[in-house]
Amino acid sequence: MTAPASLPVAEGIRLSGVSKRFGRHQQGIQALSDITLDVAEGELVTLIGPSGCGKTTLLRIIGGLLDPDTGTVRVGTLSPDAARREKHFGFVPQAPALLPWRTVIDNVTLLDEVNKRRGRRRADPAGNRPTPAELLEQTGLSEFGHAHPHELSGGMQQRVALARAMALCAPILLMDEPFAALDEITRGEMRHLLLDVWASSGATCVFVTHSIDEAVLLSDRVVVLAPRPGRIAAVEPIDLPRPRPPGIEDQPEFHEHVRRIRQALHGSAR
Amino acid sequence: MEPYVPPSEPGRGRRAFSAVLPPTLAFAVLFGGWELFVRASDISHLVLPAPSAIGREIWDEPGYWWSHAMVTGSEALLGLLIALVVAIVLAILIAHSTVMDRALTPVVTMVQVTPVIALATPLVIWLGFGLAPKVVMAALITFVPLVVNAAMGLRSIDATTEEVLRSVAASPSEIFWKLRVPQALPYLFSALRVCVGLALIGALVAEWFGSTEGLGRVMTQARNSLAITKLWAAVAVLMAMGIVATTLVRLVERRVLRWHAPGRRP
């Protein structure tokens, strides 16, 4: 397989009629029912909803880690599985999931070392691809390149996970509650760091969260999911201007969006 | 952002001192008490020799003890290495295939529940007085902890980390080498620490039941000629061998697993 001529900065995602059921017969759980959603190139969409609404399942289906029972998923022109093989996804899970025997910098470059046959170092004529040193700089880890993960705090470890996802220069970022395990102050810092990193990458981003504030701060659109069966209850566009600096959380427009999403969540729970 | 400073080690010398002093005192009390007990009481040296007499026994004939220690030591080491290779192969099969797990786990359990010492006589009858039965005994006695721990380590893979690797379509062999093997190493080392002692037991017991050289042979001869001090000297040499072997494993472990977070070692 030859590498594509240039690096796609972003790709859109199309989901139509996606359903997923876990378990068989009556005891099974309908995790997702008939999800249809388009994510535009370069858009940041959050999936929000109560536990069990299938938001992580949906993210895993987009990422090709799980197959839907029915419906189709397209990532650009590719199936999720093909996109995965082409290394089109930068994935940040809830836990940092670092390899403890590797230094920070070796964790950041880990994903370059696997799946080598599939044109892993994709052509980069525009010089979009950040070097590991630049990534560490961008994520505030310059001093820690040769530290081992157990020497870092949880917040710093999650920065490494973010840098690792960005290292691929992937057109799609998939984030599964990446800041949920962090303390409130660190979480606030990480949200703004993500906004910076995402803006400079230009990638499309699907972000799973259960924090309304986080969804409003980050998103172009917030997709509210309802549980049993998992379905889209509302889609809320967030028209706050970008860049969104720290302090934007205190503006009345921000609160208005938070209020509307809270209402949508309450409505869907009934 | 604060600059990164590697964790310093304050008062290294003092810490080493406080780490060495308590065990030294404990040994001094143990062996000093033994020595005093033997000297103060009228107990015969044919029943319980003093530590000083045992030490002299070894000191007077270092070449003799060294050559027999080497025989027993190489039997134990060879058995341990064979068990290690077999255990790693079986652990990979058990961890990767449900069918292999079902087929092999009962076999491992069978070896586990068998008092391996019971096999000493039949093994000597089958394999003779040479190296073979000792190596087989050492391998059998160390095989179970090694295979159980190695399989557990290979299975203990972190699901989220695996998912990160799968998100870029890492192949199963890449996941094996990048994730499973390093993850299994701490488990394997903790089994090895136990197994160096077990391997010595295996080799020694096999020697008791028929041999021409080795510390087990020294012990059976000493027993038959009522050379009780010699019997104890063999125990002391075996103990020293166990300490050296365990220390070596610990040193290698500390070097290989430097990355491992303290307290996370299984």
Side-chain angles (χ1 to χ4, degrees), chain B residues 202-227:
Chain B
L204 181 75
V205 168
E207 284 175 354
W208 284 347
F209 286 87
S211 58
T212 52
E213 51 183 351
L215 292 170
R217 171 69 173 165
V218 169
M219 289 184 80
T220 46
Q221 277 181 327
R223 186 193 58 199
N224 293 342
S225 58
L226 290 180

Side-chain angles (χ1 to χ4, degrees), chain A residues 60 84 113 115 150-151, chain B residues 4 163 166 168 174 259:
Chain A
R60 298 178 73 222
R84 192 162 67 99
E113 295 169 24
N115 182 5
H150 75 264
E151 298 171 282
Chain B
Y4 172 68
E163 202 145 73
R166 288 216 301 130
V168 290
E174 284 170 330
W259 51 271

